Amino acid sequence: MMENPVLICDFDGTVTKNDNIVAIMKKFAPPEWEVLKDGVLSQGISVKEGVGKMFALLPSSQKKEITQFILQDAEIREGFADFVKYADQAGIPLYIVSGGMDFFVKPILNGLVPDNRIYCNEADFSEAMIHIRWPHACDDHCTNECGCCKPSIVRKVAKEKDLIVIGDSITDLEAAKQADLVIARDFLLKKSEELGLPYKSFQTFYDVIDHVKEVVE
Ligand code: MG
Ligand code: ZN
C-alpha cells in the first residue's frame, strides 16, 4: 500500500480527449507546422523548439479567435471532475503537468483545479507573433529540452513520495519511468508494457479512481 501518494496528471489527450495544440495548429497555422510536428515526433527537434516555432507561425492578433476556438473545441474526459473530488477527499495531492499553454489549460480547468496545482507553458501575445515562455524548463538532470519538463517537476513535487503518473504520450514517458504506478492510455500504455513498468490502463477517470483506490486503500 502507498503511504504517501502524489498524482501527476498530463493534460492534452489525458484530461482532454484530444491534443489541443494539434487542434489549434490544424485550424490556424500555415502548412509549415506539419514539418515541425513531424520533427518533434521523430525526435529530430526538441519539443521546446518545435512547439515554440509552431506558435511563432501564429499572429498574436488572433488571440481572441484561437482562445474562443479551443475553449469550445476541448472536451474533458468522463469522470475528471469526480476524480479531482476523490483525490481531494482522500488527501492525495494532484498536480496537472502540461506541455500546453496557460491560455487554454487554465480556463479549461477553471473551477476544477486551482492554478497553483497547474504546471504549463505560457503564451505571450505582446509581439507580432505568439511567443512561448517556459517557466518549467528542464533542470540540471534533464537535457531533452522538454519545454515543460515533467521529470524536473516530478523531482520537485514528488520527492520521496509514491508517484502515480497518469498520461498518454511520449512526453509522459520520462516521468512514467520514475513512477511507482503508471495509469496510461494510447502510446504510453504500449510503451509501459514494452518497458515492463508497473502500469494500469484507463479509458475514463472512473478507471483512474479505481486504480488509485487499489493502491492507496
Ligand atoms: Mg498528453
Ligand atoms: Zn526535460
Side-chain angles (χ1 to χ4, degrees):
M1 204 193 78
M2 291 185 179
E3 297 283 318
N4 213 349
V6 55
L7 293 156
I8 299 283
C9 183
D10 172 52
F11 185 73
D12 284 70
T14 299
V15 174
T16 61
K17 291 187 179 173
N18 296 317
D19 188 294
N20 298 293
I21 294 179
V22 170
I24 289 170
M25 294 302 149
K26 275 189 181 161
K27 177 91 175 165
F28 294 97
E32 297 98 281
W33 84 274
E34 300 224 31
V35 181
L36 294 163
K37 179 198 68 181
D38 293 342
V40 170
L41 292 179
S42 64
Q43 294 174 291
I45 54 172
S46 69
V47 173
K48 187 178 176 198
E49 182 182 355
V51 171
K53 285 184 172 168
M54 279 181 213
F55 276 92
L57 296 169
L58 306 177
S60 296
S61 59
Q62 283 191 302
K63 178 180 183 180
K64 202 174 156 195
E65 291 99 297
I66 294 171
T67 307
Q68 275 175 350
F69 163 75
I70 201 60
L71 297 188
Q72 203 163 45
D73 184 74
E75 237 186 296
I76 292 186
R77 191 174 298 278
E78 205 190 342
F80 182 70
D82 286 327
F83 166 66
V84 173
K85 220 180 284 169
Y86 164 74
D88 200 39
Q89 283 166 357
I92 307 172
L94 165 64
Y95 296 91
I96 305 295
V97 177
S98 170
M101 309 305 150
D102 54 351
F103 74 90
F104 61 83
V105 176
K106 288 182 178 175
I108 292 170
L109 291 174
N110 187 29
L112 287 167
V113 180
D115 279 6
N116 63 2
R117 290 294 179 89
I118 301 171
Y119 289 82
C120 64
N121 303 310
E122 292 172 5
D124 177 350
F125 295 90
S126 67
E127 284 166 48
M129 302 309 233
I130 300 175
H131 174 71
I132 302 301
R133 288 194 298 247
W134 316 96
H136 312 292
C138 304
D139 65 16
D140 292 344
H141 303 284
C142 183
T143 54
N144 288 329
E145 296 284 311
C146 302
C148 180
C149 184
K150 296 189 184 193
S152 299
I153 293 165
V154 162
R155 281 188 277 278
K156 208 158 35 173
V157 305
K159 220 175 170 185
E160 283 160 32
K161 300 213 168 132
D162 300 307
L163 173 64
I164 303 173
V165 168
I166 307 155
D168 73 307
S169 80
I170 179 128
T171 57
D172 303 302
L173 186 59
E174 291 308 311
K177 284 180 187 169
Q178 302 178 37
D180 298 288
L181 174 64
V182 185
I183 303 177
R185 54 178 294 277
D186 204 53
F187 174 89
L188 187 66
L189 179 64
K190 285 183 217 118
K191 210 67 195 171
S192 298
E193 189 172 19
E194 206 179 294
L195 296 175
L197 304 177
Y199 75 95
K200 299 277 183 186
S201 75
F202 78 100
Q203 295 293 329
T204 74
F205 275 92
Y206 294 112
D207 305 328
V208 176
I209 293 171
D210 290 341
H211 295 321
V212 174
K213 278 185 175 170
E214 271 171 41
V215 292
V216 303
E217 285 179 7

